Amino acid sequence: MLRISNLTVNRIKNPHGITETPRFGWLLESDFKNTMQTSYRLQIALNLSFLDVVYDSTDILDNNSVCVLAHNFTIVSAKKYYWRVQIVDNHQETSEWSEVAYFITGILKSTLWRGDFITAETRSDIESSKGTYVRGQFYVKGSVHSAFLYCTALGLYKPFINGNLIGNGELLPGWTSYNKSVLYQTYDISCELQQGDNMLGAMLGAGWYKGKMGLFGTRNNYGDRTAFYAMLLITYTDGRIQRFVSDGSWQGADAPIIFAEIYDGEIYDASMELDDWCNPAHSSGNWKEVTTIVFDKDLLTAQPGGVVEQQEFLPVKQIITTPEGDTVLDFGQNLTGWVQFSVQGKAKDRVELNCFEVLDHDGNVYQDNLRNAKQSIIYYCRDNKPALYHPSFTFQGFRYVRVAAYPGEIKAENFSACVLHSDMHATGTFECSDPGVNQLHRNILWGMKGNFVDIPTDCPQRDERLGWTGDAQIFCRTATYLMDTYVFFTKWLKDLAADQADDGGVPHVVPDLITGLSHDWLLGKGTYSAAGWADAAVIIPWTLYQIYADKTVLEEQYASMKGWIDFMEAHTDDNGIWNHQLQFGDWVALDAVEGSYFGATPIELTNTAYYAYSTGLFAKLRKSR
């Protein structure tokens, strides 16, 4: 029997927020060997029953089932499209129509945006890392056909409608070079609205936007106040369209999160909770007027998939009492995420958890490798009722958790570790007869999970967690064999191109938190364009093209790739050897002298080898255009 599965648009299942040309894909399943597609028929409709078909390819003689275009079909903003496909194989068997998939479009023209970015913070909060609430009320009258919410934040946000959390995303809207691009998310809330009064709201945190970040611990790297933006488009069955946006009429208040930072953790005071704060019938609390913030909405960019989500939960493997007397939870696996716990204590009773990766040689808590990152969670109870809590605007890298304070008996069943990483499905597995090799593979996979939290980082625990280009470049090919990383890497590559210098040079980290700072970093020899690191601009797009057979990434990154090739050429000597400012060379090599990270391999050799390699890849790209 011939079947069709795994329907995707732009390599995403049922994406929300498509603004680029949709590229359709599917998998074939057959009971016969050597089965190949010989033709397909693709249909797109505006309803689930396909009574309103807007595109029908008819039978197309083509064996391609990846990056299939619907020729002469044009998407429009804020629309939900349903699609299905039928194929014929080389055994002359015709499949049934596939299951129906869908995609929702984003906002295709920046001129369509309305409303303002709003903040509940004031100028006195510039150094604050507290959380805030914002909310706005609107009225629904009539039968709703569709309701699509487009929202984002300067900082991190969690969106709510009528008291209910929307979607499964965490650490939204993710980390980008906010002065170049800010991602927005798209939600279908058609079934969440009620007749009459409704309330849309969000809880905000500092996050990467205004929190302490980078090698130098600077704050307010992109801005000094968190802000929220939302536009809700409601289409009624009678054709009416209602727009509701964030603006100066909204209200703001302090949230129970009194401190939240990426590196240091979160402090939450449950006594500050406002029950039903996003319910239209709720009016209690110290609500105040919000302030609008000027921000260029041309920078808003759709994110149809790949957001960070809670992926799995691990139970406590054992509870340890260390020689120094600390109570430590061991989850048996180094991971990136946070601890979720249940607690019952009287008002102002305190829970304090300190996350760390390893025990020292005596079996005690070891935190030196965290440097200045606190990785602590503090929770103050509200009353004597049971409560379940996990952080919202931080994450930790850990295996172990010291329970520094907890009201009542510490029981394993009251704690679990939540694994966070960007939404990527597994594409490959490995197992052999050697337990050591199997463990090595598991370590690699967990290392990937831990460092693929919205951007490809170097580490998930200490006060760094930056998108080092060299780390991403060297691991990219391996990552594609483990998980589908196309959406993850293409999102990050856009920031690489955005942060690229006018001369084609590429920052050491993306998003770039180094270039332009006055610190004498690493001998003062420069903050961008190191061989092997900057070559990520060429090697990663080419790798994605080879693995996923989608030329779109090459088209989108072509100017960036060429810019880096031109940069290297501009900095070569008469012998074709290139060098420029700070070069890492054979970094952290075993033959480095004591106290140095630089290996003995000549810098000129490493540089020129990458120059030749990237130029060769780029030449192949030009031939394939």
Side-chain angles (χ1 to χ4, degrees):
M1 182 177 180
L2 183 62
R3 299 173 296 277
I4 304 171
S5 64
N6 197 36
L7 275 67
T8 62
V9 175
N10 298 358
R11 299 201 65 84
I12 307 168
K13 292 184 178 181
N14 299 330
H16 291 211
I18 290 291
T19 56
E20 302 172 341
T21 301
R23 307 182 304 282
F24 300 90
W26 54 87
L27 293 181
L28 281 62
E29 297 179 1
S30 175
D31 298 329
F32 297 100
K33 295 182 178 179
N34 301 318
T35 298
M36 295 182 62
Q37 172 184 300
T38 58
S39 67
Y40 70 85
R41 182 180 180 185
L42 172 67
Q43 286 188 339
I44 306 172
L46 295 178
N47 52 49
L48 190 59
S49 62
F50 279 75
L51 296 177
D52 190 1
V53 174
V54 294
Y55 176 83
D56 190 334
S57 71
T58 67
D59 292 327
I60 303 294
L61 294 175
D62 193 342
N63 62 5
N64 184 34
S65 59
V66 178
C67 303
V68 175
L69 299 178
H71 296 287
N72 300 319
F73 169 72
T74 303
I75 59 175
V76 298
S77 295
K79 188 74 69 175
K80 186 173 186 177
Y81 295 96
Y82 299 89
W83 70 282
R84 63 185 182 180
V85 66
Q86 184 180 54
I87 65 172
V88 179
D89 67 16
N90 55 329
H91 306 297
Q92 285 74 54
E93 183 178 0
T94 302
S95 73
E96 299 290 335
W97 283 107
S98 68
E99 292 186 356
V100 176
Y102 70 85
F103 62 97
I104 298 172
T105 56
I107 303 300
L108 304 185
K109 297 180 180 179
S110 61
T111 55
L112 298 177
W113 293 116
R114 300 290 186 274
D116 303 298
F117 278 81
I118 57 172
T119 182
E121 294 188 326
T122 66
R123 289 295 179 187
S124 64
D125 297 317
I126 290 176
E127 298 300 317
S128 172
S129 300
K130 69 179 181 180
T132 56
Y133 289 131
V134 292
R135 68 177 190 177
Q137 191 163 328
F138 62 99
Y139 195 83
V140 171
K141 184 177 182 180
S143 176
V144 174
H145 174 264
S146 66
F148 301 132
L149 172 64
Y150 303 91
C151 55
T152 188
L154 305 178
L156 300 178
Y157 80 97
K158 283 182 172 290
F160 294 82
I161 184 75
N162 295 331
N164 299 316
L165 180 65
I166 305 172
N168 299 317
E170 301 287 355
L171 304 174
L172 298 171
W175 189 7
T176 57
S177 296
Y178 296 104
N179 52 347
K180 314 282 181 60
S181 173
V182 175
L183 298 178
Y184 69 85
Q185 286 72 44
T186 302
Y187 303 94
D188 183 353
I189 60 170
S190 306
C191 298
E192 303 293 332
L193 302 184
Q194 58 193 25
Q195 291 297 309
D197 288 327
N198 291 258
M199 185 76 77
L200 174 63
M203 184 165 59
L204 304 175
W208 295 287
Y209 181 77
K210 65 165 283 189
K212 180 178 66 176
M213 289 299 302
L215 295 171
F216 314 115
T218 55
R219 292 184 54 83
N220 303 315
N221 289 287
Y222 301 99
D224 54 25
R225 285 183 292 172
T226 59
F228 180 67
Y229 174 79
M231 183 170 74
L232 172 60
L233 295 177
I234 303 173
T235 301
Y236 293 95
T237 54
D238 61 8
R240 288 181 297 124
I241 296 177
Q242 178 184 355
R243 180 186 282 109
F244 174 66
V245 297
S246 53
D247 57 25
S249 67
W250 284 43
Q251 297 176 309
D254 287 342
I257 298 174
I258 58 179
F259 174 89
E261 286 275 4
I262 298 294
Y263 299 153
D264 291 338
E266 192 163 296
I267 303 174
Y268 187 96
D269 187 348
S271 67
M272 294 176 59
E273 291 176 343
L274 300 177
D275 293 330
D276 296 325
W277 67 271
C278 196
N279 188 310
H282 176 87
S283 59
S284 64
N286 187 24
W287 293 94
K288 57 186 178 182
E289 292 183 355
V290 297
T291 303
T292 60
I293 288 181
V294 176
F295 189 83
D296 185 1
K297 288 189 277 292
D298 285 342
L299 301 182
L300 295 181
T301 305
Q303 185 184 24
V307 300
V308 175
E309 294 182 357
Q310 299 184 61
Q311 302 292 342
E312 55 186 302
F313 287 86
L314 301 183
V316 174
K317 188 174 182 179
Q318 60 177 327
I319 299 179
I320 301 168
T321 300
T322 70
E324 293 180 347
D326 289 316
T327 300
V328 172
L329 310 176
D330 177 8
F331 289 98
Q333 173 61 57
N334 208 331
L335 61 97
T336 300
W338 51 49
V339 180
Q340 178 171 285
F341 60 86
S342 58
V343 63
Q344 185 171 359
K346 62 182 182 296
K348 293 300 180 179
D349 273 354
R350 178 166 154 268
V351 178
E352 181 178 345
L353 307 177
N354 311 132
C355 299
F356 63 102
E357 289 189 312
V358 294
L359 300 169
D360 68 14
H361 66 281
D362 294 321
N364 292 309
V365 174
Y366 179 81
Q367 296 177 297
D368 288 356
N369 68 315
L370 303 181
R371 297 193 301 216
N372 292 318
K374 293 185 176 68
Q375 288 214 134
S376 294
I377 305 300
I378 297 175
Y379 176 92
Y380 293 100
C381 297
R382 177 178 180 176
D383 48 35
N384 202 34
K385 296 179 181 178
L388 182 67
Y389 168 81
H390 67 69
S392 295
F393 300 135
T394 185
F395 63 91
Q396 289 76 49
F398 66 99
R399 170 179 170 173
Y400 300 97
V401 176
R402 173 170 54 192
V403 185
Y406 185 83
E409 183 182 357
I410 299 172
K411 298 180 180 179
E413 58 265 31
N414 291 338
F415 302 86
S416 61
C418 173
V419 179
L420 289 179
H421 62 73
S422 294
D423 187 23
M424 306 171 291
H425 68 269
T427 54
T429 59
F430 174 85
E431 187 175 4
C432 70
S433 60
D434 189 317
V437 174
N438 289 337
Q439 184 60 52
L440 173 62
H441 174 262
R442 284 193 291 271
N443 291 350
I444 294 169
L445 178 59
W446 276 99
M448 174 181 175
K449 292 178 180 180
N451 283 294
F452 277 40
V453 179
D454 198 65
I455 67 168
T457 57
D458 60 323
C459 62
Q461 81 295 81
R462 64 179 184 244
D463 54 347
E464 190 168 346
R465 311 183 198 185
L466 301 177
W468 285 93
T469 49
D471 303 50
Q473 177 269 124
I474 206 71
F475 189 68
C476 176
R477 176 61 67 98
T478 299
T480 62
Y481 289 129
L482 298 174
M483 291 184 169
D484 189 336
T485 61
Y486 184 89
V487 174
F488 174 83
F489 272 122
T490 52
K491 175 260 182 187
W492 181 73
L493 284 171
K494 291 176 182 177
D495 274 314
L496 185 150
D499 279 341
Q500 204 163 354
D502 292 340
D503 60 5
V506 176
H508 296 328
V509 299
V510 174
D512 184 13
L513 283 183
I514 296 178
T515 301
L517 294 179
S518 60
H519 299 77
D520 184 23
W521 183 74
L522 279 183
L523 310 179
K525 289 186 176 180
T527 58
Y528 73 106
S529 299
W533 276 250
D535 289 279
V538 173
I539 295 173
I540 294 180
W542 181 258
T543 300
L544 297 180
Y545 164 65
Q546 284 187 307
I547 296 297
Y548 301 112
D550 190 344
K551 287 186 177 181
T552 306
V553 64
L554 299 180
E555 295 168 352
E556 292 178 344
Q557 297 300 129
Y558 181 84
S560 170
M561 298 168 77
K562 185 177 185 301
W564 174 237
I565 299 296
D566 291 343
F567 179 93
M568 288 189 288
E569 183 180 18
H571 290 86
T572 57
D573 62 21
D574 293 340
N575 296 315
I577 307 298
W578 91 272
N579 207 342
H580 175 75
Q581 294 186 353
L582 174 67
Q583 296 296 316
F584 299 113
D586 191 8
W587 191 244
V588 296
L590 295 177
D591 59 3
V593 299
E594 185 70 23
S596 173
Y597 296 105
F598 296 90
T601 304
I603 292 289
E604 293 79 8
L605 175 58
T606 307
N607 288 9
T608 307
Y610 267 105
Y611 179 27
Y613 182 57
S614 289
T615 303
L617 295 182
F618 191 68
K620 292 180 181 179
L621 182 157
R622 289 178 62 87
K623 289 179 181 178
S624 65
R625 293 186 77 193

